[in-house]
Amino acid sequence: RAASASYRRGFAGFHAALAELKAEEEEEEEQELAARPDCDGPLASSRTRPSKDGMLGAAALRDLQMLLRPGHCVTAEEGAHAAELCRPLNFFRRLTAGQAAAALCIGKLVCLPAGQYIERKGDPVGHFHVVMSGSVVVEKTGGELGAQHVFVHTIYDGKAFGDGYNPGEDDTDICRRASYATQEDTLLLRFVTPEYLEAVSKGDNSAEWCASLLGELHFLEGCKPNHINILSGRAVHKHVKSGELVIAPGERPSACYVLVKGTCKLCVRGWGDSGYLTVAKLSPGCYFGVGALADREGYCPYVSKLAVLPESLTA
């Protein structure tokens, strides 16, 4: 209606009406946000999309910002609630409920407007971000690009960037190789990497959860429930970082390992100083070192011909 009336008044009047309409909408958003003191940032009120697979809706975003508000010490119960809210996001789907809750208790929400740099090339490493809502562009310069700034990739809801998630970076890097900026109003969850690794390693290690996991392995299909419970009671949660050897070539496995989270790779030694060469990859549900479990004394009858290393940031 404003547009139709403005066109009748002429081109100048049209733009004046649009500016007035935009100002009214911004005022309404500010009033709605002010009525919610527990919600910080523009996303708390301006996002009106419904919840979709891989995304969070407006209601979930508001609740999440209230639970993880700045200066508030998140309780275990609040962490569990936040984990349930975040379940649609791909990043949290690969975690158990306990791990997601533990991670959310130590994560920090960051709400940024469009067009703002989050990290710049040369900034120190030691943390990573998960896009909770919005989008982030990756900007690169140097090398073949010279002084030209080029946007090479866009990161959307449920994806992460930073330690262990940036292509071209590895554990030896001490600074970022690219810059990251918001493409729209964006809500991020920031983790300090060592704190995150510690949280997820302690997040979920209950005997019930372990028994459920072991019961799904086909090489244990002939075991009775009480045997599965005995095995789960003896299981130990082992957390390894990227680049850390789980089993080395020539080593006799001392335990049977079941991959629960992350990915691992099977490698052979390369020639000279070429390090390890990947020959296969393992995903959650895969297992290795079965010989140590099958022997009554826990003595594996063979030595490994391959190295097993995490391919993901953690496993």
Side-chain angles (χ1 to χ4, degrees), residues 223-280:
C223 292
K224 297 179 180 180
N226 61 315
H227 295 155
I228 294 292
N229 290 333
I230 292 173
L231 283 175
S232 65
R234 299 184 61 184
V236 176
H237 190 266
K238 182 178 177 62
H239 181 264
V240 289
K241 304 176 184 178
S242 177
E244 182 180 347
L245 274 173
V246 182
I247 296 180
E251 179 182 345
R252 195 178 300 276
S254 59
C256 175
Y257 295 89
V258 180
L259 184 58
V260 177
K261 179 183 74 71
T263 56
C264 287
K265 52 187 178 181
L266 300 178
C267 305
V268 295
R269 291 190 187 276
W271 294 99
D273 298 326
S274 58
Y276 289 106
L277 302 178
T278 302
V279 296

Side-chain angles (χ1 to χ4, degrees), residues 9 51 65 75 83 88 148 169 208 221 224 237 248 265 293:
R9 291 196 299 271
S51 295
Q65 287 181 288
T75 65
Q148 186 177 8
E169 292 184 9
E208 293 79 10
E221 287 178 350
K224 297 179 180 180
H237 190 266
K265 52 187 178 181
L293 182 63

Side-chain angles (χ1 to χ4, degrees), residues 128-148:
F128 68 94
H129 294 83
V130 180
V131 180
M132 307 300 285
S133 180
S135 57
V136 173
V137 291
V138 184
E139 178 189 85
K140 287 193 173 182
T141 59
E144 297 179 354
L145 301 174
Q148 186 177 8

Side-chain angles (χ1 to χ4, degrees), residues 25-241:
E25 291 176 348
E26 291 178 348
E27 184 178 356
E28 289 177 359
E29 288 185 357
E30 290 176 357
Q31 291 175 352
E32 182 179 350
L33 184 60
R36 290 182 173 271
D38 55 341
C39 296
D40 186 23
L43 292 173
S45 60
S46 63
R47 296 300 289 265
T48 58
R49 64 182 183 182
S51 295
K52 296 181 180 179
D53 188 41
M55 301 170 62
L56 297 183
L61 287 171
R62 285 194 296 267
D63 291 346
L64 191 63
Q65 287 181 288
M66 179 187 67
L67 292 169
L68 308 184
R69 57 191 179 274
H72 174 64
C73 183
V74 182
T75 65
E77 184 178 355
E78 290 171 333
H81 184 195
E84 185 64 28
L85 293 173
C86 294
R87 186 54 56 183
L89 298 178
N90 289 330
F91 180 87
F92 293 96
R93 287 180 181 178
R94 63 186 181 84
L95 301 177
T96 66
Q99 289 172 329
L104 286 162
C105 285
I106 53 99
K108 304 296 181 185
L109 281 180
V110 181
C111 191
L112 297 175
Q116 183 166 328
Y117 278 101
I118 306 161
E119 294 183 330
R120 293 180 182 271
K121 182 179 179 180
D123 284 353
V125 300
H127 54 272
F128 68 94
H129 294 83
V130 180
V131 180
M132 307 300 285
S133 180
S135 57
V136 173
V137 291
V138 184
E139 178 189 85
K140 287 193 173 182
T141 59
E144 297 179 354
L145 301 174
Q148 186 177 8
H149 293 250
V150 178
F151 295 124
V152 297
H153 183 53
T154 303
I155 304 167
Y156 296 102
D157 301 39
K159 301 297 182 180
F161 62 95
D163 293 356
Y165 295 96
N166 295 345
E169 292 184 9
D170 54 44
D171 292 340
T172 62
D173 288 328
I174 61 173
C175 59
R176 297 290 181 223
R177 297 188 182 183
S179 299
Y180 299 81
T182 55
Q183 190 170 242
E184 57 182 310
D185 290 351
T186 301
L187 186 66
L188 303 169
L189 186 61
R190 186 180 191 274
F191 291 107
V192 176
T193 305
E195 295 178 357
Y196 170 82
L197 297 178
E198 182 179 1
V200 296
S201 67
K202 300 178 179 178
D204 203 347
N205 195 27
S206 66
E208 293 79 10
W209 170 79
C210 189
S212 175
L213 172 70
L214 295 177
E216 296 176 357
L217 300 178
H218 70 81
F219 76 94
L220 295 177
E221 287 178 350
C223 292
K224 297 179 180 180
N226 61 315
H227 295 155
I228 294 292
N229 290 333
I230 292 173
L231 283 175
S232 65
R234 299 184 61 184
V236 176
H237 190 266
K238 182 178 177 62
H239 181 264
V240 289
K241 304 176 184 178

